Amino acid sequence: MISVTMDMVQYDCPYIDVTDETDVSFHTMHWDFNTAKQKLETRILVQGDDPGALTNGLGALQEHDRMLEFELLSRRGDTAVIKSFIGQTNAMRTIREHDGYITGPFQIRDGSELWSVGFDTADNTDNALSELEDGNDVRVESRNATSFEEYLDVIQHLGAAKNVIDGCRELSETERETLTKAVEGGYFQTPRRATLGMLADEFDISKTATSNNLRRAEGKLLERVVSVLPEVDSEDALIGK
């Protein structure tokens, strides 16, 4: 499989139009393309810079002339979940005509969209990218060939990966910043390039407070990592690693 990540501006996509006009971003949670009706059904997490921006963004999307159907499923503060239907865009058609398939969620903000797409052959990849440039503004962020074994490894470890990601989300802002500064400063290297005192100075707090923040961050992440080790070991055994 050829995995391609591209940053793309589609000139016929309502979601991109709305993020170019209002302070909202879209993150797809589920999508399904109906080939008979040539419609894309999508459930999307919508985030606004503030509640007012979200209201403006939802209104602009609902009124867009390429929006076929729109339903607000839930809303809380500056975040909402919607179900929407749009017609097939030029980029969607091009990728499908070259046997491409979506491999990750769409992320749309500031008038452009991050796509993760897969193709079975290099020729299909080259032809699709060439045609995409005719009707869209495309910048390829990465292109990698993934073997069957590597792809299987990713699929089998999705649960473990999600568990670790959930641990990252549990970090408070202070814990996240402290851990980031420690790693970037070389606190965990041997010999250390950053000391506890240097980290404490970064945040203008005591070394004890810095140590506590760092230990809490390490504890949350390591607990998640250790919890998935048996799952990773058992799945590695199944595929002969």
Side-chain angles (χ1 to χ4, degrees), residues 3-47:
S3 300
V4 179
T5 300
M6 64 186 86
D7 194 335
M8 179 160 50
V9 176
Q10 297 184 77
Y11 300 116
D12 56 354
C13 176
Y15 307 115
I16 288 179
D17 287 347
V18 169
T19 64
D20 200 26
E21 298 167 357
T22 65
D23 296 323
V24 297
S25 60
F26 298 105
H27 308 266
T28 58
M29 302 166 61
H30 165 269
W31 62 89
D32 180 47
F33 186 75
N34 187 313
T35 55
K37 297 181 179 180
Q38 296 290 293
K39 288 170 38 174
L40 179 71
E41 175 186 349
T42 315
R43 285 169 178 78
I44 303 178
L45 175 68
V46 189
Q47 293 182 301

Side-chain angles (χ1 to χ4, degrees), residues 105-120:
F106 300 111
Q107 300 177 49
I108 312 169
R109 57 163 45 93
D110 299 327
S112 68
E113 182 172 12
L114 196 65
W115 282 43
S116 298
V117 183
F119 297 92
D120 294 326

